[in-house]
Amino acid sequence: MTDISPRRTHVTSADGTAIAVTVTGQGRPLVVSPGALCAAQDWQLLADVLAPHMSTYAVDRRGHGASGDSPDFSIEREQEDIAAVLELAGPDAILLGHSYGGLVTLGLALRQPPAGFILYEPPVPVHGPVGGAALAPFEEAVEKGDLDHALALGLRNFLKLPEEAIEAFRREPVWSVRASMTPTWAREVRAMDAFGDDLERFARLETPTLLVVGELSPPWLTDTSRRLKRSLPNGSLVEIPGQAHDAYLTDPAAMAEAILPFALKPVSAMGDRRGDITGTGGRC
């Protein structure tokens, strides 16, 4: 009987940084690039649900979990990290990017299109800067070691969550885990703001792409995904009822149901769009 239990491995990125990966399950590979305040362990519930059908390669992005880091941070370095994991997973891998991790994968996909692409509410700054003037007080709280306050500021000003949602989140055990990850959030928000709001550049991305949104997610995020879908020549969209920005945690069965019909399509049915398309004007 095939062992589908989680196992930890790592890849070495282009700059020598060790990137940790948790592999779970059997079947077609799914490489997951988590969001700003998440690591591979946050995707384990979904990986367990998918395990009979797919091999999930959940990444600890640099500076998170068991991965290394480098003072030379940029979103391009993070794209190289994910590219190394895709090489490990194989040419038929589906790439899934969540939130900030979706921006990382969007930039990568323009240069190195995956066999299939899933995007869960990437914060392309079409509504203006994600951080902007709110970055300074956030960084001040981090520098003072007041990570609880930093997390509240980020949720309020970056994600634009209402106060009642923030207070409900504060009562959850995971609050302290998310607060501990805030020191790397500022650099990621800067990368979001520098990403640009031009969605037309993705009209060149012919990779079959599924955009996932939660019914209860912040409206600016769901609107961004719907706009992005209109720019993609081979895009479709699915909404998960009763869920928000973290359905992989709150209802992994519902998220699995949303993505499996897309993810398990044969490569021939998706269309083989792999290869470098930078010659057509794609850029990171």
Side-chain angles (χ1 to χ4, degrees):
M1 183 175 180
T2 305
D3 183 9
I4 61 175
S5 58
R7 62 182 178 86
R8 178 63 63 86
T9 186
H10 78 277
V11 297
T12 302
S13 192
D15 69 347
T17 301
I19 302 299
V21 187
T22 302
V23 185
T24 306
Q26 62 183 356
R28 190 172 191 181
L30 176 74
V31 173
V32 176
S33 174
L37 297 179
C38 297
Q41 64 182 6
D42 296 295
W43 288 81
Q44 192 59 51
L45 292 174
L46 178 63
D48 290 341
V49 174
L50 295 175
H53 314 286
M54 304 194 75
S55 297
T56 300
Y57 289 67
V59 180
D60 279 338
R61 287 188 304 97
R62 62 174 55 209
H64 295 73
S67 286
D69 204 354
S70 166
D72 181 26
F73 172 82
S74 71
I75 198 169
E76 290 81 11
R77 300 290 78 73
E78 297 220 60
Q79 290 163 6
E80 292 169 354
D81 301 343
I82 300 299
V85 181
L86 281 170
E87 184 175 355
L88 172 69
D92 293 341
I94 302 290
L95 179 58
L96 187 157
H98 170 246
S99 197
Y100 169 73
L103 292 190
V104 174
T105 59
L106 267 169
L108 175 62
L110 283 177
R111 296 186 291 107
Q112 184 181 323
F117 198 14
I118 300 173
L119 286 166
Y120 188 178
E121 299 177 349
V124 183
V126 296
H127 297 278
V130 177
L135 263 174
F138 172 83
E139 290 187 303
E140 182 180 353
V142 170
E143 289 171 5
K144 290 180 177 178
D146 190 354
L147 302 188
D148 278 13
H149 183 50
L151 179 56
L153 287 174
L155 296 174
R156 181 181 303 120
N157 297 314
F158 303 159
L159 292 185
K160 300 177 175 61
L161 294 186
E163 291 302 319
E164 57 269 24
I166 295 172
E167 289 310 309
F169 186 18
R170 192 188 296 274
R171 293 191 292 271
E172 296 181 12
V174 75
W175 174 273
S176 60
V177 177
R178 299 291 176 256
S180 71
M181 295 182 176
T182 54
T184 57
W185 203 3
R187 70 186 192 183
E188 293 160 347
V189 171
R190 281 198 173 83
M192 293 180 207
D193 288 350
F195 190 78
D197 61 358
D198 176 20
L199 297 181
E200 290 307 310
R201 61 187 140 159
F202 302 112
R204 299 183 296 271
L205 182 59
E206 297 185 354
T207 299
T209 302
L210 177 68
L211 292 113
V212 178
V213 297
E215 179 188 12
L216 305 180
S217 292
W220 72 277
L221 281 173
T222 57
D223 177 68
T224 298
S225 288
R226 295 181 194 280
R227 291 194 197 187
L228 181 57
K229 175 188 174 294
R230 293 195 291 269
S231 298
L232 292 167
N234 203 0
S236 57
L237 186 142
V238 62
E239 180 178 273
I240 305 179
Q243 299 302 313
H245 195 52
D246 54 356
Y248 55 93
L249 281 172
T250 57
D251 196 342
M255 181 155 181
E257 183 179 355
I259 68 173
L260 275 174
F262 173 85
L264 294 182
K265 285 181 182 177
V267 173
S268 57
M270 286 188 169
D272 193 346
R273 303 292 185 178
R274 287 163 288 168
D276 193 324
I277 62 172
T278 53
T280 64
R283 63 181 178 83
C284 177

